[in-house]
Amino acid sequence: MAANGSASVGQTPKPSSPVALCHVVLRTTPDGYENLVSFYLTLLGAKITHKSHRLAFLSYDYEHHRLAVVADPKSHKRKPEGPQVGLHHVAFGFETLSDLATAYEERKALGIVPVWCVNHGMSTSMYYEDPDGNEIEFQVDNYDTIQEAVDFMASKDFEENPVGVDFNADEFVRRVRSGEDEKSIKARPNIGKRDKK
């Protein structure tokens, strides 16, 4: 890059970046449509901003929609053997560990429990699975600044273990509700090498 930010001779200029990730659209089968819409209304505490027999728009904040569900008659259910290619998961953020604990308790009371709880180091996360097998992450950032998280991700600890350390959701809630310092709960223990779930 030249000093003024333009590309030097022979370099491709960096494309402009979007300002936000605005929404996610999920495709499902017509017979799974109502169940999937209901699941996300509950999981996200969302409301419907538009719904027809094959398309639903859901929002939980100031946006007109953050998630849409499309009933596609040409779609088919995932094959049972092994993970499928495509989107791995979508993550939603919470402000504090107390907020994450409350979200867990509320959903657990409705029969929705996480399939995996993990301290990634840069975030404390709970993963849920929807009726179609899509993963949804609820997370809290473990650092006060983005730069601290980026620095952690450049560390030897993260290189050795980019996955994280599993935790028990009920024990997590107990620690949060006990008044234990958030920094101590957010601190990821060093368990050595780990490169898969």
Side-chain angles (χ1 to χ4, degrees):
M1 260 322 180
N4 67 1
S6 63
S8 299
V9 175
Q11 289 183 331
T12 304
K14 178 187 173 292
S16 57
S17 300
V19 296
L21 174 62
C22 297
H23 62 264
V24 174
V25 179
L26 300 174
R27 177 186 299 123
T28 191
T29 59
D31 62 329
Y33 173 68
E34 291 295 340
N35 195 26
L36 201 62
V37 170
S38 178
F39 176 85
Y40 279 102
L41 285 171
T42 302
L43 184 73
L44 300 176
K47 64 182 182 294
I48 292 174
T49 57
H50 171 81
K51 185 174 180 217
S52 71
H53 67 285
R54 63 169 300 271
L55 180 62
F57 293 95
L58 286 67
S59 180
Y60 57 82
D61 62 5
Y62 56 86
E63 278 290 327
H64 43 81
H65 72 286
R66 287 291 184 185
L67 182 83
V69 178
V70 178
D72 182 348
K74 295 178 186 170
S75 66
H76 55 83
K77 295 201 177 285
R78 293 173 187 250
K79 295 180 176 134
E81 67 279 346
Q84 308 292 308
V85 298
L87 184 67
H88 187 275
H89 71 273
V90 177
F92 296 91
F94 289 83
E95 289 289 328
T96 67
L97 293 182
S98 181
D99 294 340
L100 185 62
T102 298
Y104 164 73
E105 292 172 317
E106 291 169 344
R107 283 144 188 87
K108 182 180 178 184
L110 297 168
I112 301 172
V113 294
V115 295
W116 185 38
C117 299
V118 61
N119 182 330
H120 288 299
M122 66 285 197
S123 66
T124 297
S125 302
M126 294 184 176
Y127 288 81
Y128 294 84
E129 197 171 90
D130 75 17
D132 281 354
N134 299 301
E135 286 188 25
I136 306 97
E137 177 184 5
F138 280 8
Q139 72 168 54
V140 171
D141 287 335
N142 284 344
Y143 292 99
D144 294 332
T145 68
I146 298 298
Q147 189 56 54
E148 288 175 289
V150 169
D151 291 345
F152 171 76
M153 292 173 73
S155 73
K156 183 76 175 152
D157 278 350
F158 192 72
E159 182 180 331
E160 190 174 68
N161 177 1
V163 177
V165 178
D166 297 354
F167 64 85
N168 176 281
D170 292 315
E171 175 61 13
F172 164 78
V173 170
R174 186 201 63 73
R175 291 178 70 190
V176 169
R177 300 292 184 235
S178 76
E180 183 178 339
D181 181 56
E182 278 209 2
K183 283 197 185 293
S184 119
I185 300 170
K186 288 178 176 180
R188 187 180 91 167
N190 186 337
I191 61 166
K193 289 188 177 202
R194 181 181 187 187
D195 69 351
K196 58 180 116 174
K197 191 172 171 182

